[in-house]
Amino acid sequence: MLLINRGFYRLVVGLAALLVASMSFAAVEATDLQELELNIWTVRSGYYLYSVMEGDKSYGELLQDKIAKADASYRSIISELDNDDSSDFLQQLAGMWSKFLDLANKNTIAELGYTDSYLAIDLNNLAADIIKLLHEQNAEGNKSDLLTLAIKSQRMTSEYLSLAAAPDGGTSTGEGNIRIDFDDAVPEFDALLAAAKKKYANDDVVNRALLQIDRKWRFIRESMVKFYEDSVPFLVNRYSEQIVDLIEQVAE
């Protein structure tokens, strides 16, 4: 009887060890990291749109909605990694995330009539650092090409709005690797959109969404290329939001 109990005990311990091992190797999904990156660019867009709209209360509330959505995305990732041995990643992300949210809430446009350039620089640099950390993290599954398209669109929009918000054309907040060149970014988005349309040509739902995205993109594309000739931040943000919404509806 004792031998049976010992055998059963060893079996239970062995199964428990396998379960713990499988849990320790669990990783966050690649698409969840993409969602967080997308939300970071969305917060940056909201931050600068608030500046462009001169501290209008409704855009301050819109920024708060974007911050809340981004924080929910962050907390979802944290919950997935509770049993994972990614302590370094979690500690780095947690430390930067709280600072990022704090800065996103500190746009001075309503109080001072302008956005403090030093705070904007810190926000830009933290956004870049967090995204770099996300790109370095090992994740399960493949990235979504559709979410990549959404990220590219939102990143361009956040840059467009940051330039529109800065009286000096972004010179004072242009530190770090956050900045992009529209001469490169626009044709890159063109190529990604064309590839997606080809890939999903036989998927009626996705194809319909991509055709709508193509029409909306063409409406703001020239404004991206000729920013300094024809700055229309409100329209660019509006159509970009619609593009991202369409993508999120069909992204896997």
Side-chain angles (χ1 to χ4, degrees), residues 1-12:
M1 185 69 174
L2 182 60
L3 290 175
I4 294 175
N5 287 340
R6 284 178 177 173
F8 180 75
Y9 173 80
R10 288 171 180 166
L11 175 62
V12 170

Side-chain angles (χ1 to χ4, degrees), residues 8 31 43-46 50 53 58 60 70 84 92 99 108 117 119 130 144 148 172 178 189 199 210 219 236 244:
F8 180 75
T31 51
V43 168
R44 185 174 183 247
S45 297
Y50 185 40
M53 303 309 291
S58 62
D84 184 50
Q92 291 181 65
K99 294 176 184 176
T108 59
S117 61
L119 294 176
I130 294 171
S144 163
T148 296
S172 62
I178 196 83
F189 187 84
K199 177 179 178 180
L210 290 172
F219 191 83
V236 167
V244 171

Side-chain angles (χ1 to χ4, degrees), residues 200-212 246 249-250:
Y200 296 100
N202 295 323
D203 186 321
D204 290 341
V205 174
V206 178
N207 188 52
R208 281 197 299 272
L210 290 172
L211 289 175
Q212 291 184 62
L246 283 164
Q249 289 172 23
V250 297

Side-chain angles (χ1 to χ4, degrees), residues 23-218:
M23 290 171 66
S24 68
F25 284 104
V28 67
E29 292 288 335
T31 51
D32 290 334
L33 296 180
Q34 285 184 288
E35 283 285 355
L36 183 56
E37 180 178 355
L38 174 59
N39 281 311
I40 290 170
W41 294 123
T42 300
V43 168
R44 185 174 183 247
S45 297
Y47 179 89
Y48 285 113
L49 182 63
Y50 185 40
S51 297
V52 168
M53 303 309 291
E54 301 178 342
D56 185 288
K57 183 180 178 181
S58 62
Y59 289 93
E61 293 171 351
L62 184 62
L63 172 58
Q64 291 304 310
D65 290 342
K66 296 179 187 301
I67 290 172
K69 183 179 179 183
D71 196 40
S73 179
Y74 160 78
R75 292 183 183 282
S76 176
I77 288 173
I78 293 300
S79 68
E80 290 181 41
L81 290 173
D82 278 348
N83 295 311
D84 184 50
D85 57 349
S86 302
S87 58
D88 289 343
F89 170 72
L90 288 173
Q91 289 175 9
Q92 291 181 65
L93 180 58
M96 289 191 289
W97 188 253
S98 60
K99 294 176 184 176
F100 177 73
L101 293 188
D102 184 52
L103 286 166
N105 279 295
K106 283 187 174 178
N107 192 322
T108 59
I109 185 67
E111 295 79 13
L112 303 180
Y114 62 89
T115 297
D116 186 306
S117 61
Y118 292 104
L119 294 176
I121 288 171
D122 289 343
L123 179 76
N124 288 343
N125 289 340
L126 259 179
D129 289 344
I130 294 171
I131 288 168
K132 181 175 182 289
L133 180 66
L134 298 181
H135 287 180
E136 292 172 347
Q137 173 67 11
N138 292 327
E140 290 184 343
N142 297 320
K143 289 185 176 181
S144 163
D145 51 353
L146 295 176
L147 285 178
T148 296
L149 194 64
I151 288 167
K152 296 292 184 183
S153 175
Q154 195 64 63
R155 181 173 186 178
M156 281 191 292
T157 301
S158 76
E159 181 68 2
Y160 190 98
L161 292 169
S162 75
L163 294 174
D168 59 2
T171 303
S172 62
T173 58
E175 293 186 1
N177 58 356
I178 196 83
R179 306 299 296 273
I180 59 173
D181 187 336
F182 288 115
D183 289 339
D184 297 327
V186 168
E188 182 181 359
F189 187 84
D190 287 337
L192 288 171
L193 180 55
K197 287 165 66 179
K198 182 178 180 180
K199 177 179 178 180
Y200 296 100
N202 295 323
D203 186 321
D204 290 341
V205 174
V206 178
N207 188 52
R208 281 197 299 272
L210 290 172
L211 289 175
Q212 291 184 62
I213 288 167
D214 186 62
R215 288 193 291 271
K216 296 177 187 301
W217 168 241
R218 291 183 184 281

